[in-house]
Amino acid sequence: MSDPRYSVVGSTYPLDSKQRALIELVESLGPRFAERAERYDREASFPHENYADLRAAGLLGLCVPEKFGGRGADLRTYSIVSATLGKYCGATALTYNMHACSMLWPGALSDDLDMTAAQRAEHDRHRAIHYQRVIRDGAIYAQPFSEGSAAAAGRAPFGTTATRVGGGWSINGKKIFASLSGAAHYYGVLCTEAKPELSMRDTLYMAVPGNAPGLSIVGDWDPLGMRGTVSRTLLFKDVFVPDEAQMMPRGIYFQAASRWPHMFTTLSPTYMGIAIAAYEFTVRYLRGEVEGMPPVKRRMYPTKQIAVAEMWVKLEQTRSLFLRMLEDARVDPPKDARLRAYAAQFTIMENANYICGLAIRTCGGQSMLKSLPLERLYRDSRCGSLMLPWTAELCLDRIGREALYEAGESDD
Ligand SMILES: Cc1cc2nc3c(=O)[nH]c(=O)nc-3n(C[C@H](O)[C@H](O)[C@H](O)COP(=O)(O)OP(=O)(O)OC[C@H]3O[C@@H](n4cnc5c(N)ncnc54)[C@H](O)[C@@H]3O)c2cc1C
């Protein structure tokens, strides 16, 4: 276990033995991931080697329920594991979020939702197929939802449609920023059942095989940060998927999005990890302990000490809200917990970038060189508050509106 100041939960947070073992496992993989991170970033290439390690460690099944052969992690356990990964490689943690949540949402989260007996039976049949692919075959799932419209923000139906055809569905549309493009074996696509009028209530969640006829990956990928996510554009032209492609029964995604809001906080652990990494780097750098650098100490300057103090205060504010938010996570959370989840997401995403900025200012010019991780942490951290559906802007929108209006209220 690393110095508890640099662990996600610190030394006194209550963990069960399963959580403790998972953190130790990820901590043991982490240094290898950190070594490879520079190359994935430079090449904007997918972290295949890291996924081979995750697969070998049984971590692709982290959120697969135990009865389907997985490790049965709930949202809180997933988030702590993911933040630990985020300390070592942001792109691996962010893409792992897409895969792990493809397992968590049809798993522990769906178990909390209302379904008829027939829906529950159908769901159990379908998810057994998805889980078996992961546990037996080592498959990786992605979550391409964004379309460049108001849909990914939860304000309009997805323009990608699924039309009922014999024995399954025909999918047409486009997804942008599809992390794991070209690397995923299945793309968990949100689309709308094709009816004369599209409705968010008819959202379907379908796993499309990466090699399905009619699916193509287009566009380049050369972004500022999170370069290893390889988030290109997917085009769907009459892509057929059978009924069992459904990852949730009809109508259940819509129910999940309104009743299990913490499902949208799962991108934030990556950035919690990045914030910790930036702080840890700064302390080591100022102490002259960064590997490969001359052992020059810079810790004796009061301005550096104040900057490190400010970083710690920000980090602890962020971490405390992160851990509190995880305690709130449940189906049908009370209003204060929902508002706190928006605040936590906003805080983690914004503070991660702020802490990375302070780290660069404090460590100085040499720390910005590409041979050291800080400039990559800085660029990766910039992406957090842009991630839909809970961007920093949309969190503020929701906090303001939901504080001032009760459900169903308007000024008309
Ligand atoms: C590294 C990276 C990886 C990603 N991976 C994935 C992925 O795997 N799957 C996926 O689905 N998406 C992914 N995304 C996409 C991400 O979640 C956003 O969808 C994307 O950044 C939005 O870009 P845009 O410019 O099209 O946003 P726009 O839709 O143009 O929105 C711009 C901003 O306006 C605000 N806004 C948007 N809609 C509304 C509204 N209705 N009301 C008020 N304000 C609004 C939001 O703050 C938003 O950030 C990824 C993005 C990045 C940067």
Side-chain angles (χ1 to χ4, degrees):
M1 167 68 82
S2 62
D3 182 324
R5 283 175 298 168
Y6 312 133
S7 81
V8 170
V9 296
S11 55
T12 56
Y13 189 78
L15 293 172
D16 61 28
S17 56
K18 187 164 112 179
Q19 291 167 328
R20 206 167 297 116
L22 283 166
I23 293 174
E24 275 169 25
L25 178 59
V26 178
E27 289 285 358
S28 73
L29 298 175
R32 260 180 284 165
F33 289 15
E35 254 172 54
R36 295 170 184 150
E38 184 276 331
R39 174 164 55 85
Y40 300 135
D41 175 66
R42 180 168 31 85
E43 297 174 346
S45 63
F46 187 75
H48 286 290
E49 294 93 336
N50 293 353
Y51 271 81
D53 287 349
L54 291 169
R55 187 178 287 117
L59 285 168
L60 292 186
L62 179 72
C63 297
V64 172
E66 283 172 358
K67 73 171 178 175
F68 293 101
R71 290 177 179 260
D74 59 8
L75 187 137
R76 189 188 312 183
T77 305
Y78 157 73
S79 298
I80 294 169
V81 167
S82 168
T84 306
L85 257 183
K87 294 195 300 175
Y88 297 103
C89 178
T92 301
L94 194 61
T95 50
Y96 183 68
N97 164 78
M98 317 309 179
H99 170 81
C101 290
S102 303
M103 305 296 107
L104 181 67
W105 296 359
L109 262 63
S110 290
D111 290 345
D112 284 338
L113 301 174
D114 295 334
M115 294 189 206
T116 63
Q119 278 178 320
R120 189 75 69 195
E122 176 200 271
H123 184 49
D124 251 5
R125 255 195 339 272
H126 290 172
R127 66 181 175 171
I129 294 171
H130 300 293
Y131 289 148
Q132 195 182 36
R133 288 172 182 161
V134 172
I135 299 298
R136 191 193 58 195
D137 310 332
I140 303 172
Y141 277 60
Q143 283 191 324
F145 300 162
S146 299
E147 296 183 344
S149 70
R155 303 265 166 94
F158 286 97
T160 301
T161 56
T163 308
R164 197 84 182 103
V165 292
W169 301 84
S170 173
I171 297 180
N172 282 283
K174 171 179 164 181
K175 294 288 177 184
I176 63 171
F177 280 110
S179 288
L180 304 103
S181 55
H185 301 95
Y186 295 89
Y187 297 96
V189 178
L190 289 181
C191 44
T192 312
E193 185 173 353
K195 290 183 178 169
E197 205 156 317
L198 298 186
S199 162
M200 287 165 61
R201 289 184 181 279
D202 294 328
T203 304
L204 291 161
Y205 184 15
M206 302 282 202
V208 178
N211 59 4
L215 168 61
S216 51
I217 302 172
V218 298
D220 62 358
W221 178 248
D222 190 13
L224 171 82
M226 289 293 180
R227 293 168 57 80
T229 61
V230 192
S231 309
R232 296 172 65 201
T233 297
L234 303 184
L235 299 179
F236 301 86
K237 177 87 184 83
D238 301 328
V239 176
F240 174 79
V241 289
D243 276 332
E244 64 261 27
Q246 289 188 71
M247 300 192 65
M248 286 177 170
R250 283 172 172 191
I252 298 300
Y253 175 82
F254 182 78
Q255 191 191 141
S258 44
R259 297 187 57 201
W260 238 111
H262 291 80
M263 69 190 274
F264 298 125
T265 64
T266 53
L267 297 158
S268 66
T270 295
Y271 296 89
M272 187 68 244
I274 289 175
I276 296 170
Y279 173 77
E280 176 175 0
F281 177 88
T282 305
V283 172
R284 292 198 194 286
Y285 188 84
L286 297 179
R287 287 171 57 84
E289 291 174 351
V290 169
E291 224 178 283
M293 292 291 289
V296 178
K297 294 185 178 19
R298 296 171 174 85
R299 65 183 174 187
M300 61 295 271
Y301 307 119
T303 42
K304 308 281 183 214
Q305 294 168 12
I306 288 171
V308 167
E310 195 190 338
M311 286 174 73
W312 177 255
V313 169
K314 272 273 184 256
L315 184 64
E316 284 303 277
Q317 290 169 342
T318 310
R319 181 161 32 195
S320 303
L321 199 46
F322 171 64
L323 296 175
R324 176 66 211 273
M325 181 241 329
L326 297 184
E327 301 200 356
D328 287 335
R330 70 199 61 191
V331 70
D332 298 328
K335 180 164 180 168
D336 67 301
R338 183 191 280 268
L339 290 174
R340 195 158 40 246
Y342 302 142
Q345 173 97 351
F346 177 92
T347 302
I348 297 162
M349 299 310 203
E350 292 289 274
N351 284 7
N353 189 236
Y354 182 78
I355 289 169
C356 288
L358 260 183
I360 289 194
R361 190 183 79 192
T362 307
C363 295
Q366 289 186 59
S367 72
M368 235 179 43
L369 300 176
K370 290 218 180 261
S371 51
L372 295 175
L374 196 49
E375 64 85 36
R376 186 187 70 252
L377 295 173
Y378 179 72
R379 287 183 287 104
D380 285 352
S381 71
R382 182 54 270 184
C383 301
S385 63
L386 313 179
M387 309 287 300
L388 288 169
W390 284 15
T391 65
E393 290 180 338
L394 283 162
C395 286
L396 291 180
D397 268 8
R398 285 168 180 268
I399 293 169
R401 187 191 315 270
E402 292 179 33
L404 297 172
Y405 292 82
E406 296 303 329
E409 275 186 344
S410 80
D411 293 320
D412 305 331

